[in-house]
Amino acid sequence: MTGAARADEILVGDVLALDHAGTRAEALAVAGGRVLAIGSRQAVLETRGPDTVVRDFPGCTLIPGFNDTHAHMDAIGARLVRPSLEGARSIAEVQDRIRALAQRTPKGEWIATMPVGTPPYYFDAPATLAEGRLPNRHELDAAAPDHPVYIPSPGGYWGEPPCHAALNSRALQLNGIDRHTRPTSPATVMETDAQGEPTGVFVEKGYVNLLEPDLLPAVPRFTYEQRRDGIVRAMALYHQAGTTSIYEGHGSAPDVIAAYRELRERGDLSMRTSLVVSPRWRSLEDAEAAMRDWSPLLRGRGIGDEWLRVSGFFIAHGGDPNVATVQAKDLLHVSWSGFTQQANVTERFEALCMLAGRHDLRVHTIVSDKLETVAPVITRLAQHFPIGKRRWVLEHISRATPEGLRAIREAGVPVTLIPGQYLWKHGTPFMNFAEDELDHLSPARQLHEMGVPVSAGTDAVPYNPLFCLWAMTTRKERRTGRVMGKGGLVSNEVGLRLLTRAGAYLSFEEDVKGQLVPGHYADIAVLAGDPLALQGDALLDLQCRATMVGGRWVHGVAA
């Protein structure tokens, strides 16, 4: 091979290319951050040069790195900032944790912790304490009389409603909360004692966190530096799970985008990242001005490079109108989520989408169980604009029908699904559906067989894509173990493709990412076993041994 390119590294193991031919090989070569060759061990070793490193991964399977197309990586980063109450099993133990924090916190400064309960979901948080409730204001006062104390709720999407929060007396006072306080949304409940005074405990019965933007303006917000540093910490966790690319279609607030940009500029971004703008407009006029001013940068593929790209806007459909009312109080508040909450009735949603279409901007929206309402809008939009070619994205589809899926196919728009959310975590609302309806819950199989560009994301519930693969291939609900529609089961191979190569289409990278073929990025996850051979719950035990992004090891192998 005189004059031929020489490999920087040669990786030996069971290579699963996930190309059109379904190629399996014994080794692959990496050069210049891309796949140089793939084939038999002997053939690939011919690319070895004097400085080539050869690594053997016996018993392991090398696959394209996972592309999490609904990752919320920055949200996981924000959850790593505040001190944990994990392991506290009584109010006394919570008080001990707060008391210890008070001892090292200057008087008068806020003590804001993580929620009560067991991470990562904090399901049934009050029940994890011996008293079956959160500490009240007086119990928190006893632990930290000289500090405002705030124990937040995780929120319904992170955990499961109802969710509980607690504040001490100083925290209530700083936020102006007294017996006359009334939350904007009926989904937020302020508990009171026999005299009508607030106990300091709040219950959020909805899925969206409304307590902070509605009633707690004095609670410290996450700083830019905390978000930036949280992203770095979360990025390491995602790499440990084999994730090499993320797509944040739910939208990112400006300071979150700025944090990613800083990491890219200083060379600390090792995750290929595609972002969508989470807008802060208040009216259609604001929206049109924003689209007009930003369309030169955000239209089409947007701006950026192979490591960080920003394109289009997230526009919400539906939602509790109280969400919009509360968010309007403080548009800068994005809490754990990292994006601005929206609520748009169908007519307003369509009007916003029409504006985006006129400005050649991509739209990303969450469908949830409203496909039958969204599908006609998408059909009408497709008559005006080439939304399929522009790669508008429908996300988070839960309930679906054959008619709604056909409308998606005819419009030519890609879809992202969150199997872990609707099949495992929040399957309860769908438990009484008929079996054929359950078959179309999170309809990965149907969309794949119809030829619709469909990918899967974790939604950070959890962020391990192998758990998402398990959810797609078993469709087990977490409380009962019930299979949520046998007609929706996908094969391991289809599920794996949806978690790796399929997501490249959303960021216009299908020609360079998602397959282990020559010329594609050397983004590789090294799994401890064969994800196509393991069945059922055995997938939950599969581990990622090492992860490479662009020819650089980011997990499992020393640099």
Side-chain angles (χ1 to χ4, degrees), residues 12-15 24 56-62 526-531 534 542-543 545:
V12 180
D14 183 13
V15 180
R24 300 195 79 138
D56 279 288
F57 294 99
C60 292
T61 302
L62 283 62
V526 182
L527 305 183
D530 184 350
L534 296 173
L542 185 57
Q543 300 292 317
R545 290 280 178 84

Side-chain angles (χ1 to χ4, degrees), residues 18-189:
L18 291 184
D19 57 0
H20 293 295
T23 302
R24 300 195 79 138
E26 297 175 333
L28 66 81
V30 175
R34 302 205 178 206
V35 175
L36 174 65
I38 177 174
S40 68
R41 178 187 179 112
Q42 180 178 355
V44 173
L45 285 174
E46 293 181 7
T47 67
R48 182 169 48 184
D51 299 318
T52 300
V53 176
V54 179
R55 301 187 192 275
D56 279 288
F57 294 99
C60 292
T61 302
L62 283 62
I63 67 169
F66 291 111
N67 188 348
D68 190 339
T69 55
H70 204 98
H72 288 303
M73 189 172 77
D74 62 285
I76 291 295
R79 298 174 194 178
L80 300 173
V81 170
R82 291 176 174 169
S84 173
L85 299 177
E86 182 178 359
R89 291 293 179 262
S90 68
I91 289 175
E93 291 183 3
V94 172
Q95 288 176 305
D96 288 343
R97 301 287 184 91
I98 299 297
R99 193 173 289 112
L101 291 170
Q103 290 175 354
R104 58 178 184 265
T105 303
K107 289 184 178 181
E109 290 191 8
W110 277 87
I111 295 174
T113 69
M114 294 294 283
V116 164
T118 305
Y121 308 112
Y122 305 96
F123 294 140
D124 303 320
T128 64
L129 299 183
E131 297 81 0
R133 61 175 178 85
L134 264 63
N136 61 35
R137 63 191 295 181
H138 307 296
E139 291 160 334
L140 293 176
D141 290 345
D146 300 317
H147 300 78
V149 177
Y150 173 48
I151 301 174
S153 85
Y157 287 114
W158 178 0
E160 183 178 48
C163 298
H164 298 72
L167 298 91
N168 71 349
S169 297
R170 187 175 289 247
L172 293 174
Q173 181 182 23
L174 289 173
N175 285 288
I177 295 173
D178 58 24
R179 64 185 298 127
H180 304 294
T181 299
R182 297 293 181 269
T184 299
S185 171
T188 302
V189 177

Side-chain angles (χ1 to χ4, degrees), residues 196-364:
E197 296 294 331
T199 66
V201 175
F202 290 82
V203 182
E204 296 198 79
K205 297 182 177 180
Y207 281 92
V208 179
N209 290 90
L210 293 181
L211 177 60
E212 283 189 31
D214 189 22
L215 299 179
L216 306 181
V219 167
R221 289 3 185 183
F222 292 109
T223 67
Y224 168 82
E225 290 76 17
Q226 287 175 323
R227 290 196 183 278
R228 179 199 60 204
D229 297 345
I231 289 171
V232 173
R233 295 172 66 186
M235 186 162 55
L237 296 177
Y238 278 65
H239 285 328
Q240 289 171 24
T243 302
T244 57
S245 293
I246 61 170
Y247 167 84
E248 302 286 14
H250 204 150
S252 299
D255 55 339
V256 174
I257 296 175
Y260 275 107
R261 177 172 178 172
E262 180 183 340
L263 295 176
R264 172 67 183 112
E265 289 176 344
R266 73 187 196 190
D268 292 336
L269 186 64
S270 57
M271 183 74 71
R272 300 192 193 276
T273 302
S274 296
L275 303 179
V276 173
V277 173
S278 177
R280 288 172 172 164
W281 51 56
R282 295 177 182 270
S283 65
L284 288 176
E285 292 74 20
D286 285 351
E288 183 162 26
M291 292 182 190
R292 179 197 63 222
D293 293 345
W294 287 102
S295 62
L297 295 177
L298 299 180
R299 68 195 303 176
R301 302 187 182 201
I303 55 173
D305 57 21
E306 65 187 85
W307 291 102
L308 176 62
R309 184 162 296 279
V310 185
S311 170
F313 285 99
F314 175 81
I315 301 177
H317 171 267
D320 182 352
N322 289 301
V323 171
T325 301
V326 170
Q327 186 70 62
K329 292 183 176 184
D330 184 5
L331 286 177
L332 298 181
H333 180 265
V334 297
S335 189
W336 313 98
S337 66
F339 56 83
T340 302
Q341 297 288 350
Q342 301 178 36
N344 296 304
V345 297
T346 301
E347 293 75 16
R348 179 180 170 88
F349 169 74
E350 185 166 355
L352 288 166
C353 288
M354 287 293 289
L355 288 176
R358 291 174 190 146
H359 289 286
D360 192 19
L361 289 162
R362 290 210 293 165
V363 170
H364 315 251

